[in-house]
Structure formats: structure tokens, C-alpha cells
Amino acid sequence: MPMALSPGLLLVAGSFAAFRLLNRGLERLVPPPPSARRNRWKWRNIWTSLAHSVLSGGGALAGFCLHPGLSEDLVGTHPPGAHSLVAVSVDLSPFSANRLPGMATAQQGGYFLEDFVDMLCNQKLHQSWELLFHHSVVIVCFGIAVLLHQYVGFALVALLVEINSIFLHLRQILLMANLVHTTCYRLNSIINLGTYVVFRIATLAWMTHWLFLNRENVPPATYAVGTVGMAIMTPMNIILFYRLLRSDFFKSGRDVQREKEQ
């Protein structure tokens, strides 16, 4: 008798397909400007990432507002429908109170797989290895939540970083559209750095602190994965913060041109 596939894995596969379709259709919805036509796949990729960040970052905030118990128990609290939403990337049905907590983590399963494949097929390895490595770590960590039906609250905390990702992606879109020397770009750069500190660096620091305090309540294997994940993500994000500072506030013409060509 054939083994039945996990509903969570089926939802991940479905969400992968949904983001793939979104990626293919975005060029018609948001045509690339002349300056971005040499790199059409990247234009589509960034807009897909922006859609994901808006949904997941907003969903994470809504999840904590509608289900305060998640912040008290990041391991075992499991609102109705949350597991499905951890696995699914885009939920097209109307939002309801018992679905929003997982809506945030929903973006991760299929989205990161789709983005991983998209970069692997369209970008040179030396240009994308950092993001491919990042996505691999995220896929493993969120895969635990999907398979174990636990750590939904912890996954939502991790998704707060996507609030900053909204401005990171907007920055890249403005860069590709040759709008670097505009008020909009400058304003986005300031908001980007501010949300980077609050929602990315501070969030990762809090997650690391939580893991340390709760090490006795988390299974050794899961604790090891979480610790390694934090050890990888923290220096990567500090390096990216330095690059953003140098590029947007101490940049040279060479830095801007290099970013546009990547």
C-alpha cells in the first residue's frame, strides 16, 4: 500500500507552484523599465520576493496581535489551521482569525524553494551562493515546524525580519529602475536601515537569547539546528548591514554600478 504524503508537504508543493506562476506573470503586471530589461528574470524575482515579504511580514504582526498566546508559548501553541499555513506560501482564501498566525510562516515553505530554484537556474553561482546558503538554512528550520507541527510561534518571530525585507526589495527595485538619485530612494534607505536594526538584528538577537534560555525545554536535535541557524544568520546579517551602510550612505559610483550589474 503506497505511503500517503504529509498534508504539509503537499501544501508546500502547491505553494511552490503558486509562487512559480506568480513569478511568470509578474513581467506583464509590472513591466521592467528600459534599465532593467537586460536582467528580466531578476526584475521578476525581486517583485516576487516583495510580494512574499508583504504577506509574511504583515501576517506575522497580525498573528501575534490576534493570538497573544503565541508569544507566551513559542513551541506548543498551535491555533487551528496554523500548520497548513506554515507550509503554504500563498493562501488565496479570505483571511480569518484562526488562519492569520500561520499566514506569516505560510510564505516560507514554497517561496524559499521557488526562489532557490529560480536563482539556481538563472544566476551564476558566485553571485548567488550567499542567498542559496541562506535559503537552505531557512528551508531546514521551517521544515521542522511543518513536519513536527510545533514551533509555530518561533517561526512567526523569525518572520518579523520580512518587515525589513519589504524595504530591501524596494531598494533593489529602485536601483534597477535607475532611481538612485531620488527622494524616494533616499527615504527608503533611511527606513530600510531603521527597520533592519529593529526587525532583523534585534529579532535575531532575541531569538538567540530565547534559545539559550529555553535550551532545556527544546529537544537536542532541534536546539542544535536552531543554534546553528542563528550562528549562520547573525554574521550574514551584520555583513549585509555594513554593505548597506557603505552603499547608501558612503557609496561611490563604482558601488552603485556593481549592484546594478549583479
Side-chain angles (χ1 to χ4, degrees):
M1 185 176 179
M3 183 179 296
L5 289 175
S6 164
L9 294 178
L10 290 175
L11 287 166
V12 168
S15 63
F16 173 90
F19 265 113
R20 199 67 184 156
L21 288 173
L22 176 64
N23 183 288
R24 293 299 181 186
L26 272 171
E27 191 166 342
R28 293 183 179 180
L29 294 173
V30 192
S35 57
R37 289 173 187 166
R38 292 174 53 191
N39 207 348
R40 290 177 179 271
W41 86 265
K42 186 175 181 180
W43 181 258
R44 295 194 307 269
N45 179 276
I46 295 170
W47 276 98
T48 304
S49 299
L50 177 61
H52 159 259
S53 295
V54 170
L55 289 171
S56 58
L61 283 177
F64 281 114
C65 290
L66 293 174
H67 294 271
L70 282 170
S71 59
E72 299 171 5
D73 180 8
L74 299 182
V75 178
T77 302
H78 194 172
H83 173 256
S84 297
L85 293 170
V86 170
V88 176
S89 296
V90 176
D91 182 4
L92 299 179
S93 61
F95 294 168
S96 61
N98 68 334
R99 295 175 68 85
L100 277 171
M103 178 60 196
T105 49
Q107 316 313 310
Q108 308 309 303
Y111 164 74
F112 279 109
L113 284 172
E114 189 279 331
D115 200 45
F116 187 96
V117 171
D118 195 37
M119 287 189 293
L120 200 61
C121 294
N122 294 287
Q123 197 171 33
K124 295 178 181 179
L125 187 60
H126 76 273
Q127 294 177 319
S128 62
W129 72 268
E130 288 177 283
L131 276 176
L132 291 174
F133 184 52
H134 167 273
H135 285 12
S136 299
V137 174
V138 172
I139 289 168
V140 170
C141 293
F142 278 86
I144 291 174
V146 172
L147 295 174
L148 299 184
H149 296 233
Q150 289 186 313
Y151 307 102
V152 172
F154 194 75
L156 280 181
V157 174
L159 283 176
L160 291 175
V161 304
E162 293 299 329
I163 295 173
N164 167 250
S165 294
I166 294 171
F167 302 100
L168 277 175
H169 299 317
L170 282 174
R171 175 184 179 276
Q172 194 63 37
I173 288 170
L174 293 170
L175 191 65
M176 291 190 71
N178 261 345
L179 297 174
V180 177
H181 304 292
T182 63
T183 302
C184 185
Y185 183 90
R186 188 67 175 175
L187 179 62
N188 185 76
S189 295
I190 294 171
I191 298 174
N192 183 29
L193 285 183
T195 56
Y196 201 105
V197 173
V198 175
F199 290 106
R200 192 171 289 268
I201 294 178
T203 295
L204 289 173
W206 187 91
M207 292 171 67
T208 303
H209 183 249
W210 184 91
L211 273 174
F212 176 76
L213 291 180
N214 293 272
R215 59 191 181 279
E216 295 180 357
N217 302 321
V218 179
T222 304
Y223 178 77
V225 171
T227 303
V228 171
M230 291 300 100
I232 292 171
M233 294 297 184
T234 299
M236 286 183 69
N237 280 279
I238 292 174
I239 291 170
L240 178 56
F241 183 74
Y242 165 74
R243 290 175 179 173
L244 288 170
L245 267 179
R246 187 183 67 178
S247 178
D248 285 356
F249 294 92
F250 307 102
K251 64 188 172 189
S252 64
R254 182 185 303 175
D255 291 330
V256 174
Q257 186 63 30
R258 186 185 300 117
E259 280 197 81
K260 290 169 65 177
E261 291 173 353
Q262 285 181 349

